Amino acid sequence: MSWEEILQRPSSRWTLGEGPQREVVISSRVRLARNIAEHTFPNRAGEGELERICAKVEAAVGRLSRAKEFHFLPLAKLTPIDRQVLVEKHLTSPAHIAEPRQRAVVLREDEGVSLLVNEEDHLRIQTLFPGLQLEEAYGLAGKVDDDLEGELTYAFDETYGYLTCCPTNTGTGLRASIMVHLPGLVMLNRANKIFSTLSQLGLVTRGLYGEGTEALGYMFQISNQITLGRTEGELIGNLQTIIVQVIEQELQARRQLYQEMGDRLVDKVFRAYGILSNARLLTSKEAINLILTLRLGLNLNLLPELEYGVLGELLVLCQPGFLQKVAGEKQSTQERDAKRAALIRERLREVRA
Amino acid sequence: MLCQECQKRPATVMVRRTVNNKTTRVHLCEYCAREKGELNFMDSFAGPEFSLHKLFASLLDSDAEVKQLKLDPTAGLLKCPQCGLTYNEFKGSGRLGCASCYKTYRQQLEPLLGRLHGRIEHCGKVPQRAGRSLRLKQELGELKEALNRAVEREEFEKAAVLRDKIRDMEKTIDV
């Protein structure tokens, strides 16, 4: 499969919606920050040094198991739209594409593994799984890390562990995060309280696309703040234990909401379905909110013909970069709104047929 | 009454906020209230105003740094010999420039790492290559513990085996 094909398809491993606890947890992600010994970190490295780091990582990719499924993509060789799609598919970060020269993304075809080369650190190993699968995600990231180490010597200190550009990542370099959908807790005004409890437990809550973004459709990312002084197993285990409790609270809140709101909640779900099936213009914010409303409806068994996988696809499909990728050209906002509405209508019609 | 935010939709929600014993009331429509609620709530976690860099600057500027500067007034003049990062650059960005910065700024970093993580010693994964000697040391520590346990339980045959292993290992890593 070519990388072009990967960027053009709306479905990927994490959108399939097959993971455990999928009613609440959309995806689980693990990221390991690594730097290569004897090289200046990307923020202070010159072009030549950044090039050499790219070359070293490219050589190391050959060591990975299933190496043939990996694509090495220099960001400067991609179009701005392609780079945006990489962010929308959660394969890299907005900060990474901000300066594309001497930067690269390495993708595995199923989009379950990506390597970010010369982001804040020389290397960030990322794995993405659907549903609540933190241990699986860490297992795979650790395996990729081991394989790459066959070729690369990491910057490591006996006291501080893996040395990273930002002291918030020092130690394990591990950031585990889960993307959760919490309409019940938000609508019952319980989310704030839960998030402040989470912060006391060393976890951070953020909006949909990470740092500095506004929450959309009650979707949040919860991740560990601490990276030093605990083992990877402890960090993952701590997050897992707490998330299980958040899920329980959310499901309980949904039941209560259903009891309190009854038809009004059912009405919200079917109105969302009506708009998505018929609208001619949809902004991405409106589309995401409506798609997530359907997600809630699915959990309440209101929409037997829909599946989590379809909704996961729609979430990728309605992103501005992806729409332009499919259209094959740069589009105005209104053209995108029309294209978005058309693609969603079409996909929902296919599902009903 | 119209919503005080958008001046378009009728106000249906009253938001009362008390800050430092001063209470303000705002009348909003449901839409704006939700928008504002979201924003306010996100602000306290990751809104536009929240920035790790600022957090760092404030952590570094706090008492730990003041004490540090009193002890060593030259700290502000530090510069990493490897990448040239100055203390002020570090303070401004919250980012280090290379692995050597961890040595250059050790004294400033330790209180910072302590505040961020609660602990300052790594106890997780150790890489095969870069961490080879640490791996051996960890293994040696485990063997010594096993030896102590064996001695306590008077399992002298086992202890003898462990003792020989430890001696061999100490020869190879020269501790």
Side-chain angles (χ1 to χ4, degrees), chain A residues 40-41 43-44 120 138 142 145-146 149-168 170-172 192 195-196 205-207 211-215 218 220 225-232 285, chain B residues 31 34-35 38-39 41-42 45-48 50-52 56 82-86 89-90 94-99 102-103 106 109-110 112-113 116-131 133-134 137:
Chain A
T40 311
F41 297 156
N43 61 344
R44 296 186 75 79
E120 187 177 278
Y138 176 66
D145 183 42
D146 292 343
E149 220 211 315
E151 187 79 26
L152 304 170
T153 305
Y154 290 142
F156 181 84
D157 179 271
E158 294 192 358
T159 310
Y160 301 136
Y162 291 93
L163 301 178
T164 54
C165 177
C166 182
T168 49
T170 309
T172 55
N192 278 349
F195 294 153
S196 74
T205 312
R206 297 195 174 116
E211 215 171 311
T213 53
E214 184 188 333
Y218 312 134
F220 303 93
Q225 172 86 296
I226 290 168
T227 57
L228 179 65
R230 314 285 196 287
T231 66
E232 287 80 359
K285 186 168 182 175
Chain B
Y31 182 80
R34 210 187 56 198
E35 285 278 294
E38 251 181 37
L39 286 174
F41 140 73
M42 286 315 292
F45 294 90
F50 178 87
S51 134
L52 275 177
F56 273 130
Q82 189 74 33
C83 71
L85 183 85
T86 65
E89 283 175 315
F90 168 49
R95 301 288 192 273
L96 296 159
C98 68
Y102 277 87
K103 289 196 185 76
R106 178 166 290 242
L109 264 172
E110 284 201 346
L112 176 64
L113 289 170
L116 287 169
H117 302 286
R119 299 178 191 173
I120 56 165
E121 272 177 45
H122 178 60
C123 63
K125 184 171 181 176
V126 175
Q128 290 289 346
R129 282 171 180 240
S133 68
L134 181 61
K137 277 183 206 163

Side-chain angles (χ1 to χ4, degrees), chain A residues 137-353:
Chain A
Y138 176 66
L140 180 57
K143 178 75 179 57
V144 171
D145 183 42
D146 292 343
D147 290 345
L148 291 173
E149 220 211 315
E151 187 79 26
L152 304 170
T153 305
Y154 290 142
F156 181 84
D157 179 271
E158 294 192 358
T159 310
Y160 301 136
Y162 291 93
L163 301 178
T164 54
C165 177
C166 182
T168 49
N169 298 315
T170 309
T172 55
L174 171 88
R175 187 88 59 216
S177 53
I178 58 146
M179 196 150 55
V180 281
H181 182 213
L182 304 175
L185 292 172
V186 176
M187 287 200 253
L188 290 176
N189 285 325
R190 289 181 196 161
N192 278 349
K193 207 173 156 223
I194 290 194
F195 294 153
S196 74
T197 314
L198 291 181
S199 75
Q200 285 160 17
L201 295 167
L203 303 182
V204 198
T205 312
R206 297 195 174 116
L208 182 56
Y209 286 102
E211 215 171 311
T213 53
E214 184 188 333
L216 271 185
Y218 312 134
M219 200 145 100
F220 303 93
Q221 185 182 296
I222 302 175
S223 52
N224 64 300
Q225 172 86 296
I226 290 168
T227 57
L228 179 65
R230 314 285 196 287
T231 66
E232 287 80 359
E234 283 167 349
L235 293 171
I236 297 278
N238 180 44
L239 182 57
Q240 169 88 18
T241 312
I242 295 165
I243 291 310
V244 166
Q245 290 173 42
V246 173
I247 295 169
E248 231 169 74
Q249 296 276 323
E250 167 62 21
L251 291 176
Q252 199 245 324
R254 287 183 192 181
R255 283 192 295 272
Q256 190 182 331
L257 206 61
Y258 194 45
Q259 274 175 359
E260 281 177 14
M261 290 180 70
D263 280 350
R264 278 186 299 144
L265 186 62
V266 176
D267 184 60
K268 263 184 198 287
V269 171
F270 281 99
R271 275 171 187 271
Y273 199 19
I275 294 171
L276 287 173
S277 309
N278 294 292
R280 262 45 184 177
L281 293 174
L282 281 171
T283 65
S284 65
K285 186 168 182 175
E286 183 181 15
I288 290 173
N289 278 320
L290 294 171
I291 294 163
L292 290 172
T293 307
L294 292 193
R295 222 175 179 279
L296 177 63
L298 218 59
N299 180 221
L300 299 171
N301 295 320
L302 297 172
L303 304 161
E305 68 271 37
L306 283 182
E307 283 168 14
Y308 285 99
V310 175
L311 299 181
E313 251 179 65
L314 292 184
L315 281 178
V316 173
L317 196 112
C318 70
Q319 305 286 342
F322 188 82
L323 287 171
Q324 296 177 83
K325 179 77 185 157
V326 173
E329 58 181 10
K330 208 168 163 20
Q331 291 181 312
S332 69
T333 314
Q334 175 148 357
E335 283 171 329
R336 286 205 298 268
D337 289 352
K339 180 81 181 162
R340 179 180 296 116
L343 286 176
I344 292 174
R345 276 203 315 277
E346 191 186 321
R347 189 74 185 92
L348 289 177
R349 198 167 39 237
E350 277 170 25
V351 170
R352 278 193 300 269

